[in-house]
Amino acid sequence: MSLKNIKENKAFKFLTNIFVLIFIPFLIWMLFFDENSYLVHRKFNQEIKDLESTISFYKLKIAEDKATIKKLGDSLQLERFAREKYLMKKENEDIYIIEFDTIK
C-alpha cells in the first residue's frame, strides 16, 4: 500500500479534515479534563440523589415526630411515653423489666 493509496482512502480524508482534527481534541477535553466534564456532572448527580434521599428520610422522621408530639398533648399519653421510653416511675412504685432470651 503506497502513500498515494492511503491519501485517497475515505477514512483518511475524513480524519484529516480540519474540523474533525479540531473537534476530537475538543470533545476529549470536554468529556474528561474540563472542570465541567461529564465525570464531574455524574458525581454531582449522584450527590444530588443521595441528598434527596436524605431529605425524604428526614421529612418522614419529622412527620413521625410531629405525630408523637401531638399524641403527647394528652397527659396520660405523656405518662405512658415517659414510662416506656425512659423507664420513669411514680413514687413508691417498683418497675420490673422482663427480658426474653430468644437463644435456645
Side-chain angles (χ1 to χ4, degrees):
M1 192 169 229
S2 67
L3 184 62
K4 187 173 185 175
N5 290 341
I6 294 173
K7 285 185 178 180
E8 291 176 1
N9 190 351
K10 287 184 179 182
F12 181 78
K13 284 184 178 182
F14 178 74
L15 291 175
T16 57
N17 185 341
I18 188 71
F19 296 111
V20 173
L21 289 175
I22 292 173
F23 180 72
I24 290 175
F26 174 76
L27 184 67
I28 292 171
W29 179 264
M30 294 308 278
L31 285 177
F32 299 108
F33 300 115
D34 192 46
E35 67 181 37
N36 298 319
S37 69
Y38 170 73
L39 301 175
V40 172
H41 279 284
R42 200 171 78 191
K43 183 178 79 171
F44 287 155
N45 286 338
Q46 184 61 40
E47 285 184 29
I48 288 171
K49 286 179 186 176
D50 292 343
L51 291 173
E52 286 174 348
S53 68
T54 304
I55 287 171
S56 64
F57 170 76
Y58 283 119
K59 282 185 178 180
L60 180 66
K61 284 295 188 182
I62 288 171
E64 290 174 3
D65 290 343
K66 282 183 181 180
T68 305
I69 289 171
K70 189 174 182 181
K71 277 189 209 175
L72 294 178
D74 184 20
S75 64
L76 293 175
Q77 289 291 334
L78 181 62
E79 183 180 334
R80 179 175 173 249
F81 181 79
R83 287 171 178 258
E84 290 178 0
K85 185 85 173 179
Y86 297 108
L87 304 175
M88 293 183 170
K89 64 177 188 160
K90 293 181 181 178
E91 289 185 27
N92 299 326
E93 184 179 57
D94 294 327
I95 296 178
Y96 298 100
I97 300 173
I98 300 171
E99 294 182 8
F100 295 100
D101 189 15
T102 57
I103 300 173
K104 292 183 179 180

